[in-house]
Amino acid sequence: LLEGVAERNARVVLLDITGVPVVDTSVAHHLIQAARAVRLLGAEIVLVGIRPEIAQTIVQLGVDLSGISTMADLQGGVAYALEQLSLAIVARPRAA
């Protein structure tokens, strides 16, 4: 993760946890540490793919994600990242 951020001069990083079956205190701790490290490199991390049961577990564990942007799905994360970078996806005209 950190090497990719540095090599690509990334300003926004999407971390997709869609496939993560369970979040416990250890997983939450690793996510927070990753976010801190990404911020030290000058990028923002956006946690995406948070299912309702994962959100409930994070709240029940008392995990503080206040410094991490979160989106329910990857589409929302991409839209947020584009907005942060003042970019947009536009259709190109078809060649005649």
Side-chain angles (χ1 to χ4, degrees):
L1 171 66
L2 299 178
E3 287 178 13
V5 170
E7 287 174 7
R8 292 167 180 80
N9 294 319
R11 296 187 315 191
V12 179
V13 175
L14 301 179
L15 183 57
D16 189 357
I17 64 166
T18 300
V20 176
V22 176
V23 171
D24 58 14
T25 53
S26 176
V27 172
H29 176 73
H30 287 292
L31 292 173
I32 292 168
Q33 295 294 9
R36 287 181 182 156
V38 166
R39 276 195 303 259
L40 286 173
L41 295 177
E44 175 184 3
I45 196 162
V46 182
L47 191 60
V48 301
I50 302 171
R51 297 185 318 280
E53 61 272 17
I54 298 296
Q56 184 176 10
T57 301
I58 288 171
V59 170
Q60 288 173 346
L61 291 173
V63 176
D64 180 17
L65 296 179
S66 60
I68 302 173
S69 298
T70 59
M71 297 292 153
D73 56 27
L74 185 58
Q75 182 178 353
V78 170
Y80 175 82
L82 289 171
E83 182 179 312
Q84 293 302 109
L85 299 170
S86 299
L87 298 173
I89 297 174
V90 295
R92 290 183 4 196
R94 290 188 180 180

Coordinates of all heavy atoms in Angstrom, one line a residue:
L1 N 0.8 -1.2 0.0 CA 0.0 0.0 0.0 C 0.9 1.3 0.0 O 0.7 2.1 -0.9 CB -0.9 0.0 1.2 CG -1.7 1.3 1.5 CD1 -2.7 1.5 0.3 CD2 -2.5 1.2 2.8
L2 N 1.8 1.3 0.9 CA 2.6 2.5 1.1 C 3.5 2.7 -0.1 O 3.8 3.8 -0.6 CB 3.4 2.5 2.4 CG 2.5 2.5 3.6 CD1 3.3 2.4 4.9 CD2 1.5 3.6 3.7
E3 N 4.1 1.6 -0.6 CA 5.0 1.7 -1.8 C 4.2 2.2 -3.0 O 4.7 3.0 -3.7 CB 5.6 0.4 -2.1 CG 6.7 0.0 -1.1 CD 7.3 -1.4 -1.4 OE1 7.1 -1.9 -2.5 OE2 8.0 -1.9 -0.5
G4 N 3.0 1.7 -3.1 CA 2.1 2.1 -4.2 C 1.8 3.6 -4.2 O 1.8 4.3 -5.2
V5 N 1.5 4.1 -3.0 CA 1.2 5.5 -2.7 C 2.4 6.3 -3.1 O 2.3 7.3 -3.9 CB 0.8 5.8 -1.3 CG1 0.7 7.3 -1.0 CG2 -0.5 5.1 -1.0
A6 N 3.6 5.9 -2.7 CA 4.8 6.7 -3.0 C 5.1 6.7 -4.4 O 5.5 7.7 -5.0 CB 5.9 6.2 -2.1
E7 N 5.1 5.5 -5.0 CA 5.5 5.3 -6.5 C 4.6 6.1 -7.4 O 5.0 6.6 -8.4 CB 5.5 3.9 -6.9 CG 6.6 3.1 -6.3 CD 6.5 1.6 -6.6 OE1 5.6 1.2 -7.4 OE2 7.3 0.8 -6.1
R8 N 3.3 6.2 -7.0 CA 2.3 6.8 -7.9 C 2.0 8.3 -7.5 O 1.1 8.9 -8.1 CB 1.1 6.0 -8.0 CG 1.3 4.7 -8.7 CD 0.2 3.7 -8.5 NE 0.4 2.4 -9.2 CZ 1.2 1.5 -8.8 NH1 1.8 1.6 -7.6 NH2 1.4 0.3 -9.5
N9 N 2.6 8.7 -6.5 CA 2.3 10.1 -5.9 C 0.8 10.2 -5.7 O 0.2 11.2 -6.1 CB 2.8 11.2 -6.8 CG 4.3 11.2 -6.9 OD1 5.0 11.0 -5.9 ND2 4.9 11.4 -8.1
A10 N 0.2 9.2 -5.2 CA -1.2 9.2 -5.0 C -1.7 10.2 -4.0 O -1.0 10.5 -3.0 CB -1.7 7.8 -4.5
R11 N -2.8 10.8 -4.3 CA -3.4 11.8 -3.3 C -4.6 11.2 -2.6 O -5.0 11.7 -1.6 CB -3.7 13.1 -4.1 CG -2.4 13.8 -4.6 CD -2.7 15.1 -5.2 NE -3.9 15.1 -6.1 CZ -4.2 16.1 -6.9 NH1 -3.5 17.2 -6.9 NH2 -5.3 16.0 -7.6
V12 N -5.3 10.3 -3.3 CA -6.4 9.6 -2.7 C -6.2 8.1 -2.8 O -5.9 7.6 -3.9 CB -7.7 10.1 -3.3 CG1 -8.9 9.3 -2.6 CG2 -7.9 11.6 -3.2
V13 N -6.5 7.3 -1.8 CA -6.3 5.9 -1.8 C -7.7 5.3 -1.4 O -8.2 5.6 -0.3 CB -5.3 5.4 -0.8 CG1 -5.2 3.9 -0.7 CG2 -3.9 6.0 -1.2
L14 N -8.2 4.4 -2.2 CA -9.4 3.7 -1.9 C -9.1 2.3 -1.3 O -8.4 1.5 -2.0 CB -10.3 3.5 -3.1 CG -10.8 4.8 -3.8 CD1 -11.6 4.5 -5.0 CD2 -11.5 5.7 -2.9
L15 N -9.5 2.0 -0.1 CA -9.2 0.7 0.5 C -10.6 0.0 0.6 O -11.4 0.4 1.4 CB -8.6 0.9 1.9 CG -8.2 -0.3 2.7 CD1 -7.2 -1.2 1.9 CD2 -7.6 0.1 4.0
D16 N -10.7 -1.0 -0.2 CA -12.0 -1.7 -0.3 C -12.0 -2.9 0.6 O -11.2 -3.8 0.4 CB -12.2 -2.1 -1.8 CG -13.6 -2.7 -2.1 OD1 -14.4 -2.8 -1.1 OD2 -13.9 -3.0 -3.2
I17 N -13.0 -2.9 1.6 CA -13.1 -4.0 2.5 C -14.3 -4.9 2.2 O -14.8 -5.6 3.1 CB -13.0 -3.6 4.0 CG1 -14.2 -2.7 4.3 CG2 -11.7 -2.9 4.3 CD1 -14.4 -2.4 5.8
T18 N -14.8 -4.8 1.0 CA -16.0 -5.5 0.7 C -15.9 -7.0 1.0 O -16.9 -7.6 1.5 CB -16.3 -5.4 -0.9 OG1 -16.5 -4.0 -1.2 CG2 -17.6 -6.2 -1.3
G19 N -14.8 -7.6 0.7 CA -14.6 -9.1 1.0 C -14.2 -9.4 2.4 O -14.0 -10.6 2.7
V20 N -14.0 -8.5 3.2 CA -13.6 -8.8 4.6 C -14.8 -9.3 5.4 O -15.8 -8.6 5.6 CB -13.0 -7.5 5.3 CG1 -12.7 -7.8 6.8 CG2 -11.8 -7.0 4.6
P21 N -14.7 -10.6 5.8 CA -15.9 -11.2 6.5 C -16.2 -10.7 7.9 O -17.3 -10.6 8.3 CB -15.6 -12.7 6.5 CG -14.1 -12.8 6.4 CD -13.6 -11.5 5.7
V22 N -15.1 -10.4 8.6 CA -15.3 -10.0 10.0 C -14.3 -8.9 10.3 O -13.1 -8.9 9.9 CB -15.1 -11.1 11.0 CG1 -15.1 -10.7 12.4 CG2 -16.0 -12.3 10.7
V23 N -14.7 -7.9 11.1 CA -13.8 -6.8 11.6 C -13.8 -7.0 13.1 O -14.8 -6.8 13.7 CB -14.3 -5.4 11.1 CG1 -13.5 -4.4 11.9 CG2 -14.2 -5.3 9.7
D24 N -12.6 -7.3 13.6 CA -12.4 -7.3 15.1 C -11.5 -6.1 15.4 O -11.1 -5.3 14.6 CB -11.9 -8.6 15.6 CG -10.6 -9.1 14.9 OD1 -10.0 -8.2 14.3 OD2 -10.3 -10.2 15.0
T25 N -11.1 -6.1 16.7 CA -10.2 -5.0 17.1 C -8.9 -5.0 16.4 O -8.3 -4.0 16.1 CB -10.0 -5.0 18.6 OG1 -9.5 -6.3 19.0 CG2 -11.3 -4.7 19.4
S26 N -8.4 -6.2 16.1 CA -7.1 -6.3 15.4 C -7.2 -5.7 14.0 O -6.4 -5.0 13.5 CB -6.7 -7.8 15.3 OG -5.5 -7.9 14.6
V27 N -8.3 -6.1 13.2 CA -8.5 -5.6 11.9 C -8.7 -4.1 11.9 O -8.1 -3.4 11.1 CB -9.7 -6.3 11.2 CG1 -10.0 -5.7 9.9 CG2 -9.4 -7.8 11.0
A28 N -9.5 -3.6 12.8 CA -9.7 -2.2 12.9 C -8.4 -1.5 13.2 O -8.2 -0.4 12.6 CB -10.8 -1.9 14.0
H29 N -7.6 -2.0 14.1 CA -6.3 -1.4 14.4 C -5.4 -1.3 13.2 O -4.8 -0.3 12.9 CB -5.6 -2.2 15.5 CG -4.3 -1.7 15.9 ND1 -4.0 -0.5 16.6 CD2 -3.0 -2.2 15.6 CE1 -2.7 -0.3 16.7 NE2 -2.1 -1.3 16.1
H30 N -5.4 -2.3 12.4 CA -4.6 -2.3 11.2 C -5.1 -1.3 10.2 O -4.3 -0.6 9.5 CB -4.5 -3.7 10.5 CG -3.7 -4.7 11.3 ND1 -2.3 -4.5 11.4 CD2 -4.0 -5.8 12.0 CE1 -1.8 -5.5 12.1 NE2 -2.8 -6.3 12.5
L31 N -6.4 -1.2 10.0 CA -7.0 -0.2 9.1 C -6.6 1.2 9.6 O -6.2 2.1 8.7 CB -8.5 -0.3 9.1 CG -9.1 -1.6 8.4 CD1 -10.6 -1.6 8.6 CD2 -8.7 -1.6 7.0
I32 N -6.7 1.5 10.9 CA -6.3 2.8 11.4 C -4.8 3.1 11.2 O -4.5 4.2 10.8 CB -6.7 2.9 12.9 CG1 -8.2 2.9 13.0 CG2 -6.1 4.2 13.5 CD1 -8.8 2.8 14.4
Q33 N -4.0 2.1 11.4 CA -2.6 2.3 11.2 C -2.3 2.5 9.7 O -1.4 3.4 9.4 CB -1.8 1.0 11.7 CG -1.9 0.8 13.2 CD -1.2 1.9 14.0 OE1 -0.8 3.0 13.5 NE2 -1.1 1.7 15.3
A34 N -2.9 1.8 8.8 CA -2.7 2.0 7.4 C -3.1 3.5 7.0 O -2.4 4.1 6.3 CB -3.6 1.0 6.6
A35 N -4.3 3.9 7.6 CA -4.7 5.3 7.3 C -3.7 6.3 7.8 O -3.4 7.3 7.0 CB -6.1 5.5 7.9
R36 N -3.2 6.1 8.9 CA -2.2 7.1 9.5 C -0.9 7.1 8.6 O -0.4 8.1 8.3 CB -1.8 6.7 10.9 CG -2.9 7.0 11.9 CD -2.4 6.6 13.3 NE -3.5 6.9 14.2 CZ -3.6 6.2 15.4 NH1 -2.7 5.3 15.8 NH2 -4.6 6.5 16.2
A37 N -0.5 5.9 8.2 CA 0.7 5.8 7.3 C 0.5 6.5 6.0 O 1.4 7.2 5.5 CB 1.1 4.4 7.1
V38 N -0.7 6.3 5.4 CA -1.0 6.9 4.1 C -1.0 8.4 4.3 O -0.5 9.2 3.4 CB -2.4 6.4 3.6 CG1 -2.9 7.2 2.5 CG2 -2.2 4.9 3.1
R39 N -1.6 8.9 5.4 CA -1.6 10.4 5.6 C -0.2 10.9 5.8 O 0.1 12.1 5.3 CB -2.5 10.7 6.8 CG -3.9 10.8 6.6 CD -4.7 11.4 7.7 NE -4.5 10.8 9.0 CZ -5.3 9.9 9.5 NH1 -6.5 9.7 8.9 NH2 -5.1 9.3 10.6
L40 N 0.7 10.2 6.4 CA 2.1 10.6 6.5 C 2.7 10.8 5.1 O 3.7 11.6 5.0 CB 2.9 9.7 7.3 CG 2.6 9.7 8.8 CD1 3.3 8.6 9.5 CD2 3.0 11.0 9.4
L41 N 2.2 10.1 4.1 CA 2.8 10.2 2.8 C 2.0 11.3 2.0 O 2.3 11.5 0.8 CB 2.7 8.9 2.1 CG 3.6 7.8 2.6 CD1 3.3 6.5 1.9 CD2 5.0 8.2 2.6
G42 N 1.1 12.0 2.6 CA 0.4 13.1 2.0 C -0.8 12.7 1.2 O -1.3 13.5 0.4
A43 N -1.3 11.5 1.4 CA -2.5 11.1 0.7 C -3.7 10.9 1.7 O -3.5 10.8 2.9 CB -2.3 9.8 0.0
E44 N -4.9 10.8 1.2 CA -6.1 10.6 2.0 C -6.5 9.2 1.7 O -6.6 8.7 0.6 CB -7.2 11.6 1.6 CG -8.5 11.3 2.4 CD -9.6 12.2 2.0 OE1 -9.4 13.0 1.1 OE2 -10.7 12.0 2.5
I45 N -6.9 8.4 2.7 CA -7.4 7.1 2.6 C -9.0 7.1 2.7 O -9.5 7.9 3.5 CB -6.8 6.1 3.5 CG1 -7.1 4.7 3.1 CG2 -7.3 6.3 5.0 CD1 -6.1 3.7 3.7
V46 N -9.6 6.4 1.8 CA -11.1 6.3 1.9 C -11.4 4.8 2.0 O -11.1 4.0 1.1 CB -11.7 6.9 0.6 CG1 -13.2 6.8 0.7 CG2 -11.3 8.3 0.3
L47 N -12.1 4.5 3.1 CA -12.5 3.1 3.3 C -13.8 2.9 2.7 O -14.8 3.6 2.9 CB -12.6 2.9 4.8 CG -12.8 1.5 5.4 CD1 -11.6 0.7 5.0 CD2 -12.9 1.6 6.9
V48 N -13.9 1.9 1.7 CA -15.1 1.6 1.0 C -15.5 0.2 1.2 O -14.7 -0.7 1.6 CB -15.0 2.0 -0.5 CG1 -14.6 3.4 -0.7 CG2 -13.9 1.1 -1.2
G49 N -16.8 -0.1 0.8 CA -17.3 -1.5 0.9 C -17.7 -1.9 2.3 O -17.6 -3.0 2.7
I50 N -18.2 -0.9 3.1 CA -18.6 -1.2 4.4 C -20.0 -1.7 4.4 O -21.0 -0.9 4.2 CB -18.5 0.1 5.3 CG1 -17.0 0.6 5.3 CG2 -18.9 -0.2 6.7 CD1 -16.8 1.9 5.9
R51 N -20.2 -3.0 4.7 CA -21.5 -3.6 4.8 C -22.2 -3.2 6.2 O -21.4 -2.9 7.1 CB -21.4 -5.1 4.7 CG -20.9 -5.5 3.3 CD -20.9 -7.0 3.1 NE -20.5 -7.8 4.2 CZ -19.2 -8.0 4.6 NH1 -18.3 -7.5 3.9 NH2 -19.0 -8.8 5.6
P52 N -23.5 -3.3 6.3 CA -24.1 -2.9 7.5 C -23.6 -3.6 8.7 O -23.4 -3.0 9.8 CB -25.6 -3.2 7.2 CG -25.8 -3.1 5.8 CD -24.4 -3.6 5.2
E53 N -23.4 -4.9 8.6 CA -22.9 -5.7 9.8 C -21.5 -5.3 10.2 O -21.2 -5.3 11.4 CB -23.0 -7.2 9.6 CG -22.2 -7.7 8.4 CD -22.9 -7.7 7.0 OE1 -23.9 -7.0 6.9 OE2 -22.4 -8.4 6.1
I54 N -20.7 -4.9 9.2 CA -19.4 -4.4 9.6 C -19.4 -3.1 10.3 O -18.7 -2.8 11.2 CB -18.5 -4.4 8.3 CG1 -18.3 -5.8 7.7 CG2 -17.1 -3.7 8.6 CD1 -17.6 -6.8 8.5
A55 N -20.3 -2.2 9.7 CA -20.5 -0.9 10.4 C -21.0 -1.0 11.8 O -20.5 -0.4 12.7 CB -21.5 -0.1 9.6
Q56 N -21.9 -1.9 12.0 CA -22.4 -2.2 13.4 C -21.3 -2.7 14.3 O -21.2 -2.2 15.4 CB -23.6 -3.2 13.3 CG -24.2 -3.4 14.7 CD -25.4 -4.3 14.6 OE1 -25.6 -4.9 13.6 NE2 -26.2 -4.4 15.6
T57 N -20.5 -3.6 13.8 CA -19.4 -4.1 14.6 C -18.4 -3.0 15.0 O -17.9 -3.0 16.1 CB -18.7 -5.3 13.9 OG1 -19.6 -6.3 13.6 CG2 -17.5 -5.8 14.7
I58 N -18.0 -2.2 14.0 CA -17.1 -1.1 14.2 C -17.6 -0.2 15.3 O -16.9 0.2 16.2 CB -16.8 -0.4 12.9 CG1 -15.9 -1.3 12.0 CG2 -16.1 1.0 13.2 CD1 -15.7 -0.7 10.6
V59 N -18.9 0.1 15.3 CA -19.5 1.0 16.3 C -19.5 0.3 17.7 O -19.1 0.9 18.7 CB -20.9 1.4 15.9 CG1 -21.7 2.1 17.0 CG2 -20.9 2.3 14.7
Q60 N -19.9 -1.0 17.7 CA -19.9 -1.7 18.9 C -18.5 -1.8 19.6 O -18.4 -1.8 20.8 CB -20.5 -3.1 18.7 CG -22.0 -3.1 18.5 CD -22.6 -4.5 18.1 OE1 -21.8 -5.4 17.8 NE2 -23.9 -4.6 18.1
L61 N -17.5 -1.9 18.8 CA -16.1 -2.0 19.3 C -15.6 -0.7 19.8 O -14.6 -0.6 20.4 CB -15.2 -2.6 18.2 CG -15.4 -4.0 17.8 CD1 -14.5 -4.4 16.6 CD2 -15.0 -5.0 19.0
G62 N -16.3 0.4 19.4 CA -15.9 1.7 19.8 C -14.7 2.2 19.0 O -13.9 3.1 19.5
V63 N -14.5 1.7 17.8 CA -13.4 2.1 16.9 C -13.6 3.5 16.4 O -14.7 3.8 15.9 CB -13.2 1.1 15.8 CG1 -12.1 1.6 14.8 CG2 -13.0 -0.3 16.3
D64 N -12.6 4.4 16.6 CA -12.7 5.8 16.1 C -12.2 5.9 14.7 O -11.0 5.8 14.5 CB -12.0 6.7 17.1 CG -12.0 8.1 16.7 OD1 -12.9 8.5 15.9 OD2 -11.2 8.9 17.2
L65 N -13.1 6.0 13.8 CA -12.7 6.2 12.4 C -12.9 7.7 11.9 O -13.0 8.0 10.7 CB -13.6 5.3 11.4 CG -13.4 3.8 11.6 CD1 -14.3 3.1 10.7 CD2 -12.0 3.4 11.4
S66 N -12.9 8.6 12.9 CA -13.1 10.0 12.6 C -12.1 10.6 11.6 O -12.5 11.5 10.9 CB -13.2 10.8 13.9 OG -11.9 10.8 14.6
G67 N -10.9 10.1 11.6 CA -9.9 10.6 10.6 C -9.9 9.9 9.3 O -9.0 10.2 8.4
I68 N -10.8 9.0 9.1 CA -10.9 8.3 7.8 C -12.2 8.5 7.1 O -13.3 8.3 7.7 CB -10.7 6.7 8.1 CG1 -9.4 6.5 8.9 CG2 -10.8 5.9 6.8 CD1 -9.3 5.0 9.4
S69 N -12.1 8.9 5.9 CA -13.3 9.0 5.1 C -13.9 7.7 4.8 O -13.1 6.7 4.5 CB -13.0 9.8 3.7 OG -12.6 11.1 4.0
T70 N -15.2 7.5 4.8 CA -15.8 6.2 4.5 C -16.9 6.4 3.5 O -17.6 7.4 3.5 CB -16.4 5.6 5.8 OG1 -17.3 6.5 6.4 CG2 -15.3 5.3 6.8
M71 N -17.1 5.4 2.7 CA -18.2 5.3 1.7 C -18.7 3.9 1.7 O -18.0 2.9 1.9 CB -17.7 5.6 0.3 CG -17.1 7.0 0.1 SD -18.4 8.2 0.2 CE -17.5 9.6 0.8
A72 N -20.0 3.8 1.5 CA -20.6 2.4 1.5 C -20.1 1.5 0.4 O -20.0 0.3 0.7 CB -22.2 2.6 1.4
D73 N -19.8 2.1 -0.7 CA -19.4 1.2 -1.8 C -18.3 1.8 -2.7 O -18.0 3.0 -2.5 CB -20.6 0.8 -2.7 CG -21.4 2.0 -3.3 OD1 -20.8 3.1 -3.4 OD2 -22.6 1.9 -3.6
L74 N -17.8 1.0 -3.6 CA -16.7 1.5 -4.4 C -17.1 2.6 -5.3 O -16.3 3.6 -5.5 CB -16.1 0.3 -5.2 CG -14.9 0.6 -6.1 CD1 -13.7 1.1 -5.2 CD2 -14.5 -0.6 -6.9
Q75 N -18.3 2.6 -5.8 CA -18.8 3.7 -6.7 C -18.8 5.0 -5.9 O -18.3 6.0 -6.5 CB -20.2 3.4 -7.2 CG -20.7 4.4 -8.1 CD -22.1 4.0 -8.7 OE1 -22.6 2.9 -8.4 NE2 -22.7 5.0 -9.4
G76 N -19.2 5.0 -4.7 CA -19.2 6.2 -3.9 C -17.8 6.7 -3.6 O -17.5 7.9 -3.6
G77 N -16.9 5.7 -3.4 CA -15.5 6.1 -3.2 C -14.9 6.7 -4.4 O -14.1 7.7 -4.3
V78 N -15.1 6.2 -5.6 CA -14.6 6.7 -6.8 C -15.1 8.1 -7.0 O -14.4 9.1 -7.3 CB -14.8 5.8 -8.0 CG1 -14.5 6.5 -9.3 CG2 -14.1 4.5 -7.9
A79 N -16.4 8.3 -6.8 CA -17.0 9.6 -7.0 C -16.4 10.6 -6.0 O -16.1 11.8 -6.4 CB -18.5 9.6 -6.8
Y80 N -16.2 10.2 -4.8 CA -15.6 11.1 -3.8 C -14.2 11.4 -4.2 O -13.8 12.6 -4.1 CB -15.6 10.4 -2.4 CG -14.9 11.2 -1.3 CD1 -15.5 12.2 -0.6 CD2 -13.6 10.9 -1.0 CE1 -14.9 12.9 0.3 CE2 -12.9 11.6 0.0 CZ -13.6 12.6 0.7 OH -12.9 13.3 1.6
A81 N -13.4 10.4 -4.6 CA -12.0 10.7 -5.0 C -11.9 11.7 -6.2 O -11.1 12.6 -6.2 CB -11.3 9.4 -5.4
L82 N -12.8 11.5 -7.2 CA -12.8 12.4 -8.3 C -13.1 13.8 -7.9 O -12.5 14.8 -8.3 CB -13.8 11.9 -9.3 CG -13.4 10.6 -10.1 CD1 -14.6 10.2 -11.0 CD2 -12.2 10.9 -11.0
E83 N -14.0 13.9 -6.9 CA -14.4 15.3 -6.4 C -13.2 15.9 -5.7 O -12.9 17.1 -5.9 CB -15.6 15.1 -5.5 CG -16.1 16.5 -5.0 CD -17.3 16.3 -4.1 OE1 -18.3 15.6 -4.5 OE2 -17.3 16.8 -3.0
Q84 N -12.6 15.1 -4.9 CA -11.4 15.6 -4.1 C -10.3 16.1 -5.1 O -9.6 17.0 -4.7 CB -10.9 14.6 -3.2 CG -11.8 14.2 -2.1 CD -12.2 15.4 -1.2 OE1 -13.3 15.8 -1.2 NE2 -11.2 15.9 -0.5
L85 N -10.2 15.4 -6.2 CA -9.1 15.8 -7.1 C -9.6 16.8 -8.2 O -8.8 17.1 -9.1 CB -8.6 14.5 -7.8 CG -8.0 13.5 -6.9 CD1 -7.8 12.1 -7.6 CD2 -6.7 14.0 -6.2
S86 N -10.8 17.2 -8.1 CA -11.4 18.1 -9.1 C -11.4 17.5 -10.5 O -11.0 18.2 -11.5 CB -10.7 19.5 -9.1 OG -10.8 20.1 -7.8
L87 N -11.7 16.3 -10.6 CA -11.7 15.6 -11.8 C -13.2 15.1 -12.1 O -14.0 15.0 -11.2 CB -10.8 14.4 -11.8 CG -9.3 14.7 -11.6 CD1 -8.5 13.4 -11.4 CD2 -8.8 15.5 -12.8
A88 N -13.4 14.7 -13.4 CA -14.7 14.2 -13.7 C -14.5 13.2 -14.9 O -13.5 13.3 -15.7 CB -15.6 15.3 -14.2
I89 N -15.4 12.2 -15.0 CA -15.3 11.3 -16.1 C -16.4 11.8 -17.1 O -17.5 12.1 -16.8 CB -15.7 9.9 -15.6 CG1 -14.7 9.4 -14.7 CG2 -15.9 8.9 -16.8 CD1 -15.0 8.0 -14.0
V90 N -15.9 12.0 -18.3 CA -16.8 12.5 -19.4 C -16.7 11.5 -20.6 O -15.7 10.9 -20.8 CB -16.4 13.9 -19.8 CG1 -16.7 14.9 -18.7 CG2 -15.0 14.0 -20.3
A91 N -17.8 11.4 -21.3 CA -17.8 10.6 -22.5 C -17.1 11.2 -23.6 O -17.2 12.5 -23.8 CB -19.3 10.3 -22.9
R92 N -16.3 10.5 -24.3 CA -15.6 11.0 -25.5 C -16.6 10.8 -26.7 O -17.2 9.8 -26.8 CB -14.3 10.3 -25.8 CG -13.3 10.6 -24.7 CD -12.0 9.9 -25.0 NE -11.8 9.2 -26.2 CZ -10.8 8.3 -26.4 NH1 -10.0 8.1 -25.4 NH2 -10.7 7.7 -27.5
P93 N -16.5 11.8 -27.6 CA -17.3 11.6 -28.8 C -16.8 10.4 -29.7 O -15.6 10.2 -29.7 CB -17.2 12.9 -29.6 CG -16.3 13.8 -28.8 CD -15.8 13.0 -27.6
R94 N -17.7 9.7 -30.3 CA -17.4 8.6 -31.1 C -16.8 9.1 -32.4 O -17.2 10.1 -33.0 CB -18.6 7.7 -31.4 CG -19.1 7.0 -30.2 CD -20.1 6.1 -30.6 NE -20.6 5.4 -29.4 CZ -21.5 4.5 -29.4 NH1 -22.1 4.1 -30.5 NH2 -21.9 3.9 -28.3
A95 N -15.8 8.4 -32.8 CA -15.1 8.7 -34.1 C -16.1 8.4 -35.2 O -16.8 7.4 -35.2 CB -13.8 7.9 -34.3
A96 N -16.1 9.3 -36.2 CA -17.1 9.1 -37.4 C -16.6 8.1 -38.4 O -15.5 7.7 -38.5 CB -17.3 10.4 -38.0

